[in-house]
Each structure stands twice: as C-alpha cells, then as structure tokens.
Amino acid sequence: MKYFILFGPPGAGKGTQAVALVERYNLKHISTGDVLRGEIAAGTELGKKAKALIDAGSLVPDEVVEGMIENAFNTYKDVNGFLLDGFPRTIKQAEALNEMLAKRGEELSGVISLMIPDETIFARIRHRAEVEGRQDDMKDEVIQNRIDTYHAKTEPLIEFYKNLGKYHEFNGDRGPGAEGIEKVRQSIYVEMDKL
Ligand code: AMP
C-alpha cells in the first residue's frame, strides 16, 4: 500500500488536487475535515463535540482524528493506498501515524506539500466561502485563527518530514483558475509518478 500525505495551509488547494490524484493513483482520499463535517451534519456525539472547535478555527483533539485514520486504514482494502488530506496537523499526530504504519509493516510513501503565501490564503478562502458555504470560511477572525494554528502547530511538520527524507514541496500558486490548478497538478504528477 502507498501512504501519501497532502500537506499545506488552509486554502492551498489540497481538496482540489486530491480529486485528480486519487483517480490517477487509485488511492482512497481521507480528509479528516470532510469526515468531521459529515459527523456534524449527521448530528453524532462526535460531531456535536467537534463543532465548536471547528467553528472557532481550532483543532479537534489528536486522539479523535487519529482514531478516524486508523478506522479508515482498517476499512478500505480495495485500493492501491491512501491520500491523507488535513492529517497529520500536529507532531503528535505525525508520530501516531508513524506508529500506525509501523504496526502494519508499512511506511510513508511521501508528503506532497502545497505552499501558498499567507496573503493568498484569505483570497482563496473568501472565494471558497461563496462556492461551498463552509461555516469556518465565513469569518475573518476564524480564518486568521486557522492560519495562526497552521503556523504554530502544523508548520513544524515540514522539518519533521524533511528529516525523514519524505518531504516534497510544490508551488501551490501557479496563476489563476483552471490553468493554474492544472500546472500545479502536472508538477505533482512528475514527482508522485516516482514515489
Ligand atoms: P479542513 O477541512 O482540513 O480545513 O479542516 C477543517 C477543520 O477540521 C479544522 O480547522 C479543524 O478544526 C478540524 N480538523 C481537520 N483535520 C484535523 C486534524 N488532523 N487535527 C485536528 N483538527 C482537524
């Protein structure tokens, strides 16, 4: 099995690129954000607990998302691997992932990191708010908290994965619209074809 992480700040284009990547490489896409939004929509206990944190732009507890990932690994067998989107987001989650993979006799195939400047994040998320209507995309202070949380808790993962020799970075801002998206996608294909 292949295990890829799609990494980057909010609004970097992870969800957009994931759609093509899972098809090209026959991967199961696991977005912890999508799973959590599903739990909220279904009104589960987990969703009720997670909602306030997500609406504030804060992270949900590590154990909650670690459980979701383990569950997905145990559920989907009929694929070439997994594309993790929005996980891990803390060093603790990254260590838990390493343990989960080691227990299975597997290892990480690579981290695909999409980088965009902070200035671009706001514009992208404001646009997404109009298209998708996500609650946590609506308020500037929530967007700012997500950016701050990314820098404080998630960005240290770049060094973590560089040290493991797993980190592959891509410019996530290659011009507007479908053409820019396609350029980013092609640059990812070139690397992922080798992993
Ligand atoms: P996303 O769709 O990846 O932007 O995630 C939306 C929200 O879900 C985040 O702002 C967090 O509140 C929560 N979330 C998603 N993934 C994680 C994670 N790996 N760890 C903690 N919280 C997460």
Side-chain angles (χ1 to χ4, degrees):
M1 284 279 199
K2 301 276 187 193
Y3 294 86
F4 291 103
I5 294 168
L6 197 50
F7 183 85
K14 300 188 291 293
T16 302
Q17 296 298 347
V19 179
L21 298 178
V22 295
E23 201 188 330
R24 182 177 175 97
Y25 301 105
N26 185 26
L27 306 170
K28 174 68 190 167
H29 179 210
I30 308 170
S31 156
T32 41
D34 283 351
V35 176
L36 288 164
R37 283 185 286 277
E39 296 277 343
I40 293 172
T44 64
E45 277 311 306
L46 173 60
K48 283 179 201 153
K49 281 190 202 141
K51 187 175 184 331
L53 290 165
I54 293 175
D55 286 351
S58 303
L59 297 181
V60 306
D62 291 325
E63 305 72 48
V64 171
V65 282
E66 287 162 17
M68 287 175 180
I69 295 292
E70 182 127 51
N71 192 26
F73 287 168
N74 289 332
T75 305
Y76 302 98
K77 310 279 181 198
D78 199 18
V79 285
N80 289 344
F82 294 88
L83 182 66
L84 307 182
D85 166 356
F87 177 93
R89 258 178 160 96
T90 63
I91 294 281
K92 160 97 177 24
Q93 291 176 21
E95 286 169 343
L97 175 62
N98 276 350
E99 277 171 35
M100 273 183 238
L101 294 179
K103 252 197 325 201
R104 295 170 171 268
E106 301 273 20
E107 67 168 299
L108 190 66
S109 309
V111 176
I112 306 300
S113 173
L114 299 180
M115 281 297 127
I116 60 169
D118 279 6
E119 307 85 78
T120 312
I121 297 178
F122 265 95
R124 291 256 186 112
I125 292 186
R126 286 204 186 101
H127 173 71
R128 186 169 70 188
E130 287 167 20
V131 180
E132 293 181 20
R134 263 174 66 167
Q135 276 307 315
D136 59 346
D137 284 348
M138 300 291 181
K139 288 197 201 127
D140 280 359
E141 67 260 31
V142 174
I143 298 171
Q144 189 60 53
N145 189 29
R146 285 158 64 202
I147 295 172
D148 294 345
T149 303
Y150 167 79
H151 286 305
K153 300 198 169 148
T154 308
E155 211 165 45
L157 293 179
I158 295 175
E159 273 315 298
F160 181 91
Y161 285 116
K162 274 186 183 168
N163 289 335
L164 294 176
K166 299 287 185 190
Y167 185 76
H168 306 268
E169 188 170 298
F170 302 86
N171 176 2
D173 191 11
R174 299 282 301 275
E179 215 175 295
I181 292 171
E182 187 57 30
K183 282 187 191 159
V184 176
R185 179 170 298 151
Q186 293 300 331
S187 67
I188 298 173
Y189 286 167
V190 170
E191 282 303 311
M192 267 179 91
D193 281 356
K194 298 185 227 156
L195 294 174

